[in-house]
Amino acid sequence: MNLRLASWGALGAAALFLALGAAWILALPPAPASARPPPIAQEEVDATVAALKPPKRQRPLIAIIGINDATEVTDYLMPWGILRRADVADVVALATQPGPVALYPALSVEPQATVAQFDARHPDGADYVIVPAMSRDDDPAALQWIRGQAARGAIVIGVCAGAKVVGAAGLLDGRRATTHWYYLDELRERHPSVTYVADRRLVVDRGVATTTGITASMPMMHAVTFAGSAGAVRTRNGMRVLPDRIATDWSAQQRLASFGDRRPAQALDETLLAIAARHGMRTADFVAMQLEYPR
């Protein structure tokens, strides 16, 4: 008898617990709908496009600046590859000093000229200056050159965390801007007069443009295999990539497979799947988040 009463009591307690739990769940507010940014007005789109029109030449001259010791690889190479393939402008890859540009986290490349050589050839300056993320934001040669190009009428574009370099050059003060989400607080702290614009991939304000992280940042279109060549290897878009290591006996597992004619977005998706297979889905999701690539 006591065992039966205990069993019924336990069942009653369980039923009461479930009822209270169900009531609590039903009392919760509804889950918010997935947040989507409001649509961009056509007037804003037209104004942005107008603000980015070439300021000097019918066929623009675009300079991509990097510091020799450490410039971010995607910020430096992807604008080069995209613009060269589009063939809508003359594109020049620059370095602050003679010698190769070391990119992080990997690769070294030969720039086409130093900033001094560029100034000698083009005293009127570039139409656009693309500023990638750099290992430091206070390189004196880079900041002086960026300021000089802005004074000559170039549109300065800070890509991703390159906005910090543009800010250090004094070109964001009193302007609207954006940057990679990871560096937003740092940018605001260093430049309190900057007005951050949310929900925009690209912000243009009086000759200075900034972007968020490179959304759908594409894997290198020019995946290169180094096998016994001591010199630089030229990519399909003309960039000379310097090998970190020379070897003649690399196995197939150590070689990079070419992406061929696959679309960049498809190549990126396949790369993320390969990262997930090798390092786990959390790592692949982290890489996609850093690239601000929606999955």
Side-chain angles (χ1 to χ4, degrees), residues 269-285 287 295:
D269 287 336
E270 292 175 2
T271 300
L272 290 172
L273 288 175
I275 292 173
R278 183 169 183 175
H279 302 287
M281 186 58 69
R282 291 185 62 183
T283 300
D285 289 342
V287 172
R295 301 189 69 197

Side-chain angles (χ1 to χ4, degrees), residues 20-204:
L20 291 174
W24 175 75
I25 291 173
L26 292 174
L28 291 174
S34 58
R36 290 187 177 182
I40 300 175
Q42 188 61 44
E43 293 80 2
E44 181 180 346
V45 174
D46 294 340
T48 300
V49 172
L52 287 172
K53 286 185 177 180
K56 303 176 186 180
R57 302 169 179 85
Q58 185 173 1
R59 182 176 173 86
L61 175 61
I62 302 176
I64 306 172
I65 182 176
I67 59 175
N68 294 76
D69 49 351
T71 299
E72 209 282 330
V73 61
T74 53
D75 294 354
Y76 191 79
L77 291 185
M78 293 317 301
W80 164 271
I82 292 169
L83 293 168
R84 289 274 295 190
R85 178 169 291 192
D87 194 25
V88 295
D90 296 320
V91 188
V92 184
L94 303 179
T96 50
Q97 303 296 334
V101 172
L103 303 174
Y104 65 87
L107 298 182
S108 294
V109 297
E110 287 184 359
Q112 295 172 298
T114 65
V115 292
Q117 292 168 337
F118 180 89
D119 288 344
R121 297 169 189 168
H122 307 284
D124 54 343
D127 290 89
Y128 303 92
V129 171
I130 296 178
V131 183
M134 302 175 184
S135 60
R136 60 185 187 277
D137 308 330
D138 59 353
D139 184 87
L143 298 182
Q144 180 180 354
W145 188 80
I146 293 168
R147 292 189 198 103
Q149 289 296 311
R152 293 182 179 92
I155 295 175
V156 177
I157 303 174
V159 177
C160 191
K164 297 195 300 172
V165 182
V166 177
L171 300 181
L172 291 184
D173 294 338
R175 283 183 166 90
R176 297 176 298 113
T178 187
T179 189
H180 190 285
W181 61 267
Y182 186 84
Y183 300 104
L184 178 57
D185 290 342
E186 180 181 346
L187 184 71
R188 283 170 154 173
E189 182 179 348
R190 291 185 180 181
H191 307 284
S193 67
V194 171
T195 300
Y196 168 64
V197 181
D199 298 327
R200 294 294 182 271
R201 294 295 190 195
L202 173 68
V203 176
V204 187

